[in-house]
Amino acid sequence: MNNTKLLPFIQNGKALGQFYEDDFIYLFFGNFYFQKEHFLLFPNIQFQTIHQIHSNQAVFIEKLYEQLPSADAHYTNKKSLALAIQTADCLPILSFDVSRQWILAIHAGWRGVENHILARAIEKVGRSSNSSQYSFFVGPHIQQQSFEVQKDVADLLKKCSDANESSFQYHIVRDRYFVNLKEIVCNQIQQLPIKTDLMFFSEIDTMKNPEYASFRRLQSSCRNWSFIYLK
């Protein structure tokens, strides 16, 4: 983990999310109030989205596509082309290689975590990138205290990492598991055949924080936007 902090993104006195920026990278995690029309705040950037299907598929984005690729991760080395994803309790994962030449955006629900979407995506990027060192930013998502699942889901998630039992809290009265997806993803990153330059995990719980879209809380189509681009 790292002590890196995200900065608030404020427009007209209202916080719309958080961002990280250096000389080569810009990445953003939006809240409930950031809508697609806010892309216009970035006039020199093109935005690419994907048709998210809760898979472990990752696609290379070479240009702006009108017909959305069906996948849950996309990557590119093209400048000024933002890779955007939407989440509502799932984990938004934004990553870049240490050379700042490749970027990656992942929508990771529990099915994607179980099916190792992160490893699949990094493997595909690695076929094109000479770098073996990456930074990872995981934005607001459902935290352990809110992610209640039944035993079948917990058993599937236990098998997809070496994370220890602290990742699973069992509530004996209600016969439910509370799973720490963040710890599982952190463990999956540590298992990859790469070096990690930086790992940031948001502590914001989308289920409990009313400023973020949460499918479990709202049962609606509202989503949180996240994106990353090369300058």
Side-chain angles (χ1 to χ4, degrees), residues 174-185:
R174 298 173 63 191
D175 193 29
R176 292 291 186 272
Y177 288 89
F178 290 82
V179 179
N180 191 337
L181 287 172
K182 176 168 56 182
E183 184 169 333
I184 294 173
V185 167

Side-chain angles (χ1 to χ4, degrees), residues 36 39 42-50 59-69 74-84 225 227-229:
K36 193 171 184 179
F39 287 167
F42 303 84
N44 299 318
I45 303 299
Q46 293 182 304
F47 286 82
Q48 178 66 51
T49 59
I50 50 179
V59 293
F60 173 54
I61 303 299
E62 188 174 8
K63 61 181 182 179
L64 198 64
Y65 296 99
E66 291 186 11
Q67 183 172 352
L68 301 185
H74 50 162
Y75 60 98
T76 193
N77 61 349
K78 307 302 180 184
K79 293 183 178 181
S80 302
L81 177 58
L83 305 179
W225 284 99
F227 61 83
I228 182 172
Y229 64 82

